[in-house]
Amino acid sequence: MDSGPSQSFHSSSPDFPHPQHATTRNQPTVHILLIAHGLPPQSVGGVAQHTAGLANALVDAGHEVSLITRDGSPVSTPFEVRTVRRRVAGPHQLTVREIAYGFHDVVDLDGIYENPTLTDSLVSAVEALPTRPDVVHVHHLTGLGTRSLQGIRDLGLPVALTLHDYWLMCPRGQMWSNGGEMCPEVRMARCEPCLRQTFPQWWPKAPEDARAQVERIHARAKSVVDAADLLITPSAAARTPWGSVGVEPGKIRVVENAVANWTGST
């Protein structure tokens, strides 16, 4: 389970409730919406397991928890939202809204990040919740549309964003070049040739267009994190890479990961 569900939302801002003040399970004091690009058992990656562990820990602490995730199954109708009650790698029956999307319409690198129909589906799913969340905690937006975070903010909801990796500013995800080198920060001289080799089918041929592509990626990342009320990373080391796209180090709150690995039972 997460080492500190209360830390994730504890902020000096009056917009943020304080989950550690829960009373009993029958009287939740905070309704928390968690958003991630996948959940167990369909997805068992680190972010999915972390989100599942956090959801169950928050319920244990006496809170109401809702989840929104992506359903990538090929039999689903694209952009359809399905609501299910199920266990998510834990003992509790949780309400999960699954948005069907399998990247069927992606034709360029920008399309991996921005999809107006996806944004509309996710924001509509938030609006359709029976009770309004007190806070929204976004864990990953792959396959959910990066503009969705601003759409949620436009509903007047406070948003925390955990930056589990660097996907927003590095399409490879981990700031690790295709040449096997770690990238301490984003720089045009490193990003352009690396992404050209990683995504040759989508990469512009003209140098000015290639430069513009990299600039869009970095600018988009900055705009997404700027839309969040609270930024969280699992490591203080993440402050330097994010600082290279203009994110103030002091805006980032460090909450280290500590989740139990999913063992296969739902």
Side-chain angles (χ1 to χ4, degrees):
M1 291 185 299
D2 188 272
S3 62
S6 63
Q7 293 183 61
S8 297
F9 296 98
H10 185 85
S11 168
S12 58
S13 167
D15 293 332
F16 277 86
H18 300 281
Q20 70 269 31
H21 295 160
T23 53
T24 69
R25 188 173 299 163
N26 295 325
Q27 296 177 310
T29 59
V30 179
H31 178 193
I32 301 159
L33 169 61
L34 304 178
I35 297 176
H37 61 335
L39 292 171
Q42 292 84 359
S43 176
V44 294
V47 175
Q49 292 197 48
H50 174 90
T51 306
L54 179 59
N56 284 282
L58 287 168
V59 173
D60 284 338
H63 302 292
E64 179 183 357
V65 175
S66 300
L67 297 108
I68 293 178
T69 191
R70 184 182 72 89
D71 171 19
S73 60
V75 298
S76 301
T77 302
F79 309 114
E80 182 179 59
V81 180
R82 180 179 67 162
T83 301
V84 297
R85 287 280 294 175
R86 65 179 176 91
R87 288 192 290 177
V88 183
H92 304 294
Q93 290 286 334
L94 301 172
T95 299
V96 183
R97 282 166 174 78
E98 301 173 339
I99 301 174
Y101 185 65
F103 301 97
H104 64 283
D105 56 350
V106 174
V107 297
D108 56 27
L109 194 56
D110 290 321
I112 291 179
Y113 290 94
E114 297 186 7
N115 188 311
T117 308
L118 262 178
T119 294
D120 290 345
S121 293
L122 192 149
V123 173
S124 295
V126 175
E127 291 182 295
L129 291 169
T131 59
R132 180 179 172 89
D134 296 298
V135 65
V136 180
H137 189 174
V138 177
H139 288 267
H140 216 290
L141 289 169
T142 296
L144 294 172
T146 54
R147 292 184 182 270
S148 299
L149 195 148
Q150 183 61 57
I152 295 168
R153 287 288 290 115
D154 290 343
L155 297 177
L157 295 170
V159 177
L161 171 63
T162 292
L163 300 165
H164 290 279
D165 59 21
Y166 301 105
W167 174 77
L168 282 172
M169 64 178 172
C170 170
R172 291 176 56 85
Q174 301 298 337
M175 298 285 288
W176 195 264
S177 76
N178 58 3
E181 298 177 343
M182 184 185 71
C183 303
E185 59 185 15
V186 294
R187 296 198 303 267
M188 179 66 67
R190 288 179 65 93
C191 295
E192 195 282 323
C194 176
L195 295 178
R196 177 172 11 98
Q197 293 177 45
T198 304
F199 303 100
Q201 74 278 24
W202 290 336
W203 204 248
K205 290 183 172 55
E208 61 272 20
D209 294 337
R211 182 179 181 86
Q213 177 73 78
V214 175
E215 290 174 344
R216 282 199 303 276
I217 293 169
H218 296 166
R220 181 188 299 113
K222 178 65 162 51
S223 68
V224 172
V225 299
D226 280 349
D229 297 284
L230 177 65
L231 294 178
I232 303 165
T233 64
S235 170
R239 288 189 170 120
T240 297
W242 284 107
S244 66
V245 293
V247 178
E248 292 294 331
K251 187 178 180 180
I252 294 176
R253 177 81 50 94
V254 176
V255 180
E256 294 181 357
N257 286 339
V259 297
N261 288 334
W262 180 63
T263 59
S265 61
T266 59

